[in-house]
Each structure stands twice: as C-alpha cells, then as structure tokens.
Amino acid sequence: MNNWEFEAVDPAGAKVKGRVRADSEQSALLQVQQRNLSPLKVRVVKLESDLFSRISAGEIEQMTTELALLLRNGVQLDRALEMMSAVNPNQALAALLTNMTEEVRGGGSLYGAFARFPRYFDSLFCEMVRIGEETGKLAETLERVAASQKFQNELKGKVNQAMIYPAFILVVCIVALFAIFNFIVPSMSGLFSNMKDIPAYTAFLIDTSNWMQKYQSLLVGFVVLLLLLVVFSWRKPAFKTMVFSILRKLPVMKTGLLLSERIRYVSAMHLMLQSGLPLAQALGFAVGVLTDSRLQGQIRRVRDEVTQGRMLSESLALTDILEPVMLSLIKVGEESGRLDSIFGEITTRTRWRFEQWALRLTSMLEPLLIIIMGGLVGSVVVTMLLSIVATTDVPL
C-alpha cells in the first residue's frame, strides 16, 4: 500500500486537500469519491524510497509534542495521528503518520508503529512509547520525551552554530589552495623553464600543481562518492557500531561518547521511574537504550543483581557508566525512596557536562583548524617566494 495525496472539490465548490492509503491510483480515486468529493488529481507520496525526503529532529519533536497534547485532551490515538497527518506540511512525515494510523487502526501498538522507522525514532524513543502504553500514561510519557528531544535539539543547534566559523575557515583554505595550484603556480612555471637546476621545493610545488590540474576532477569525484557512501551507510546499524567502536578509542571522543551513553541511561531511568515502572523492569528496558555493547553487558548484570536483592548503588559501582558522586546520590535515593528525582538530578548534571564538553570541543577545533589551514597555505606561499628568490640568485 502507498500513501496518496489528493486535491478535490467538495459539494460547496471549495478545494480541499488530503491523503488516503491505497494500493493503486484507481483505488485512491475511489476513496476520495466515497468522501463525497470530486477528485482533481492524486499522486503517490513515498517515504523510504525517496532519497530526498527528510524529517528533521525539530519536526520529530514538534510531532511528539502535538501528539501528547491531543492525547491529553481526550482525542483517540488513531484520530490524533490522522489529524496530524492531514495538516502536516512535510510530505514524508505526513506519509509516516498515515502509515502509523493504519497500523494502529489495524490493532497494532504505537510502539510497533514507531519501531518500524528506526531512521527517525531511536531505541530510547520507542522504549519510552512502549512504557507509556503499558502504564497507561502515554500522554505524560510523550511530554517527557519531547522535553528530552528539545534539549538534544538545542544542544545540536549550539554545536552547529559554533562550527560555522571553523567550517568557513576550511572553505576559504580549500578555495585558496585551488586558486594557487590552478592559476598562480602554472603562471610561475615559465620562470623556471630555462633553469638547469631547479630547487627541490620548487620542483615539488610544480609537480603538485601539475598533479592537481590533471587529477583534481577525480579527486573531487572521490570525495563526493565517499561522502555519499558515509551518508547512506550511516543508516545501517552495523556501520554505526563500527564507527563508534573506532571513536571510543580516541581520547577526546571517548569522553563525549561516554557522556552520551550516560545521558541516555539516566534519562531513560528517570523517565521510566517517573512513569511508575518497578526498578528491575526499568533496568531491563534501559539496556535497550544503550549503544555500547560493553555497557549493555554491565547493565544486564546490574539488572540481574538487583533482581536478586542487591542494592542498585552497589551494582552500579562495578560499572563504568556513572561517577562516584553520582553513585552516592543514588545511594541516598535508595534510602529515601526517591530514586526518580535522584535520576532527574543526575540527568540535569550530565546534560550540563555534555554541553560543556561539546562547546569546549568546538572551541578547540577553531584554533586547530586555523593553525592547520594557515600552515598549509603559508607553506605554499613561502615555497613560492623562495622559488622566486632562487631565480634571481647570481652566482659569484
């Protein structure tokens, strides 16, 4: 079945737009006519097969907030999804909501409908939806998930804003090197045509310019293909796992990825305990929100030990996911019976630390890129000046 977008005229003569789900164009036209409308045109709206369709994180956050608002005001789940699909301007998101509407009306769960689209809804999102359905607090759970998404989007926006200047420097450097090797160095090569002994650095500069002019189209094509390969491979979990396993071995990225995993874990625990889930069950669900297999194994062991009666703080002390000060807070939460609020406090602190780490990383990249790019362009300019000076040397 495909999603079809239609334009039609109602009995009053007004133009209306909408979407239906059908196997063929004729079936879509028939459904429009059954709504007492005169169809003008219908067209298929594809989701996964359209390489250019895109649903942003901001649109996912807005969709989650709208769904929570409709459910809290007493709208039935399938009707809420249908209403959101009819008015959403993003065709890809509208088609996705239409698919979920049909699945929910067919007796499926909202969790299963979201889980069909891992490209847009990660494991934490799906697990929280499942918890909300099982506890009967779907609207409240979606509100909490939307608040978490808002934080992530705001942090991503700050990081992207901080990366604008380094990216500008990189582009300027690439353009400068392109101009030097394609225009300036070739115009200088005639100065050395009559020289018997060309300095090694001058020969290297001319050879590099010749190579660039000869193979730069292939180089650009290779870079573009590499970027496209990374973009399309990023949707595959195996590729993500391989990339993250490499990044976890790098000193700076290791800290950031650990903080990211910590945020996922403590946020999930906070949301689940806040929703009224028992501790052992919450620990079981928390395993699914982690991406590091090593940490997953540690949390599974914690779940088993807590199920057997061991204190949570004692079990977590044998893992790498939390710091000692956080473990002391959890111990206090166990004694006071307020683990949910303790995990909320840890979530706030961890998010602040991750935000500071991300901003420090981007602030480090700026001078680093300036040094690297300035060194590249500067070395080429110095080599050119030395080559020019070499042409004016008069032997004694």
Side-chain angles (χ1 to χ4, degrees):
M1 262 190 190
N2 292 322
N3 297 290
W4 297 80
E5 189 176 64
F6 68 84
E7 290 185 12
V9 178
D10 63 11
K15 281 189 177 183
V16 295
K17 294 182 179 181
R19 298 180 180 91
V20 295
R21 189 167 171 81
D23 294 320
S24 63
E25 183 177 355
Q26 293 299 324
S27 178
L29 290 170
L30 181 61
Q31 289 188 42
V32 175
Q33 292 171 352
Q34 289 173 350
R35 298 185 182 185
N36 198 23
L37 299 173
S38 301
L40 299 176
K41 64 178 180 178
V42 295
R43 66 184 186 89
V44 66
V45 179
K46 296 183 179 180
L47 178 62
E48 294 295 334
S49 60
D50 187 358
L51 297 179
F52 299 98
S53 65
R54 184 176 181 273
I55 303 176
S56 67
E59 289 173 322
I60 294 295
E61 177 200 337
Q62 182 179 354
M63 182 272 296
T64 307
T65 304
E66 290 176 355
L67 181 57
L69 181 62
L70 290 172
L71 294 177
R72 185 172 283 279
N73 284 275
V75 182
Q76 293 294 322
L77 178 58
D78 59 339
R79 177 57 181 158
L81 292 171
E82 183 180 36
M83 291 169 60
M84 293 166 60
S85 173
V87 300
N88 200 291
N90 187 324
Q91 294 181 356
L93 182 55
L96 183 147
L97 290 169
T98 303
N99 287 334
M100 291 194 293
T101 303
E102 296 297 327
E103 183 162 342
V104 170
R105 284 180 174 170
S109 64
L110 182 62
Y111 159 77
F114 281 125
R116 288 179 53 204
F117 303 97
R119 176 181 173 185
Y120 306 111
F121 306 103
D122 59 15
S123 56
L124 176 58
F125 186 99
C126 295
E127 290 295 339
M128 292 310 303
V129 170
R130 181 166 70 174
I131 291 167
E133 287 185 299
E134 293 179 354
T135 59
K137 299 179 180 179
L138 184 57
E140 297 177 12
T141 303
L142 288 173
E143 287 176 349
R144 294 166 184 159
V145 172
S148 177
Q149 291 175 327
K150 182 179 180 181
F151 163 78
Q152 296 176 14
N153 293 338
E154 289 176 350
L155 177 59
K156 188 182 297 183
K158 291 178 181 178
V159 173
N160 291 339
Q161 186 176 5
M163 289 296 295
I164 290 177
Y165 184 64
F168 177 76
I169 294 174
L170 177 62
V171 171
V172 170
C173 178
I174 293 175
V175 171
L177 290 175
F178 177 84
I180 288 172
F181 286 120
N182 282 273
F183 302 105
I184 300 177
V185 175
S187 63
M188 291 173 51
S189 59
L191 298 174
F192 311 102
S193 58
N194 296 325
M195 294 183 62
K196 295 182 179 180
D197 296 323
I198 300 177
Y201 50 81
T202 304
F204 175 78
L205 189 64
I206 294 175
D207 292 340
T208 303
S209 175
N210 293 334
W211 185 90
M212 285 290 294
Q213 293 181 74
K214 186 176 181 180
Y215 297 107
Q216 62 185 357
S217 58
L218 294 177
L219 181 61
V220 172
F222 173 77
V223 172
V224 171
L225 289 176
L226 183 62
L227 291 176
L228 291 175
L229 179 63
V230 171
V231 169
F232 291 118
S233 299
W234 192 253
R235 302 175 184 176
K236 300 180 179 179
F239 181 78
K240 280 187 177 181
T241 302
M242 180 189 70
V243 172
F244 284 131
S245 64
I246 296 174
L247 293 177
R248 287 188 182 100
K249 298 177 182 178
L250 303 177
V252 177
M253 297 305 300
K254 181 180 180 180
T255 301
L257 290 175
L258 178 59
L259 287 173
S260 176
E261 291 290 270
R262 185 177 297 162
I263 288 175
R264 294 173 66 86
Y265 174 71
V266 296
S267 298
M269 290 295 296
H270 173 56
L271 293 175
M272 288 185 286
L273 293 176
Q274 223 179 11
S275 300
L277 250 67
L279 178 58
Q281 190 175 358
L283 288 169
F285 283 134
V287 174
V289 306
L290 297 172
T291 58
D292 190 339
S293 58
R294 181 178 58 87
L295 294 178
Q296 285 179 341
Q298 292 178 357
I299 298 303
R300 286 193 187 97
R301 189 182 68 248
V302 170
R303 177 198 58 193
D304 297 338
E305 291 177 352
V306 170
T307 303
Q308 295 170 5
R310 191 172 185 180
M311 298 289 288
L312 176 62
S313 56
E314 296 177 357
S315 298
L316 286 175
L318 302 177
T319 68
D320 302 325
I321 197 164
L322 296 181
E323 297 175 346
V325 64
M326 298 176 180
L327 295 173
S328 63
L329 289 174
I330 290 177
K331 187 174 182 179
V332 172
E334 286 182 297
E335 295 175 354
S336 63
R338 295 301 304 273
L339 266 178
D340 56 341
S341 60
I342 291 298
F343 271 107
E345 176 64 23
I346 296 175
T347 300
T348 302
R349 294 187 181 189
T350 307
R351 286 177 173 176
W352 180 83
R353 284 197 57 190
F354 184 81
E355 182 176 355
Q356 295 301 309
W357 173 86
L359 293 178
R360 281 198 303 268
L361 179 63
T362 53
S363 62
M364 287 171 53
L365 283 176
E366 182 176 325
L368 184 62
L369 279 174
I370 291 176
I371 293 173
I372 294 175
M373 301 308 171
L376 286 174
V377 176
S379 61
V380 172
V381 172
V382 169
T383 304
M384 291 169 52
L385 292 175
L386 291 175
S387 301
I388 294 173
V389 170
T391 62
T392 61
D393 287 343
V394 180
L396 297 176

